[in-house]
Amino acid sequence: MSQTNKGSLIVLSGFSGAGKGTIVKSLLEKYPNYILSISCTTRKPREGEVDGREYFFITEEAFTEKIEKDELLEHARYVDCSYGTPRDFVEKMRNAGRDVILEIEAQGAAIIRMKCPDAILVFIMTPSAQELEKRLTERGTDSPEKIAKRLRRAEEEIKCIPDYDAVIVNDDLDRAVEDVHQAIRVLGWRPCSRQELIRSFAEGLSGINGKRA
Ligand code: 5GP
């Protein structure tokens, strides 16, 4: 958390299959100030996924209604489905001082960057493209067609990496978790993440100088 009362907003993106989910799970277990935002999606649940835990699984109509009511902080299409971040939860948690993690793809990350310039954007990669293909195939959750789509999408996403603040390679899980945590900590020291602190310091200084004049 930065040295203001408000928690950080952290975007974790990465190629599908790069191990973002596992890294997030481990971060949440190790560091209690992190909290994960649960997204809405129109994708069908995979085996073992529970509504309200991995995602809020909703219909296209319900998704459109959320957009119309401005209830989503960002949203994007990804491989034939819609995904979006509920705004309310993020704001409430940040205001309560929690560091909120969004596990989202690159289009959504770009929207967050625009709307929340102090957000911390981290991109997770596998050590190589071959390793990515291997992990997607071995995961066994997607059909060969879906895997092909996810790999093509990776070609698009790689072009967005320069817009992130940090790139972490997930070769060894424990190291990747620590690298992500350290990157978040250090990026929380940027002036844009410390605006509240700088503003209150400036006010204090102006008060002191006013009295001394
Ligand atoms: P999956 O179908 O594998 O669960 O997710 C597909 C992609 O959508 C992943 O890259 C995931 O990070 C991203 N995603 C999940 N939730 C959101 C969201 O709320 N907004 C955006 N923009 N992307 C999301």
Side-chain angles (χ1 to χ4, degrees), residues 20 39 43 46 55 74 83-85 103-105 150:
K20 274 172 300 174
S39 297
R43 171 167 77 62
R46 296 187 185 123
Y55 287 103
E74 62 72 40
Y83 296 79
T85 304
E103 193 195 320
I104 66 177
E105 53 67 69
R150 283 171 186 264

Side-chain angles (χ1 to χ4, degrees), residues 16-32:
S16 176
K20 274 172 300 174
T22 320
I23 290 177
V24 169
K25 196 165 166 272
S26 181
L27 279 174
L28 296 172
E29 280 167 8
K30 270 182 106 168
Y31 302 104

Side-chain angles (χ1 to χ4, degrees), residues 200-213:
S200 89
F201 193 97
E203 276 169 20
L205 204 51
S206 140
I208 289 170
N209 285 333
K211 273 192 218 139
R212 292 172 70 91

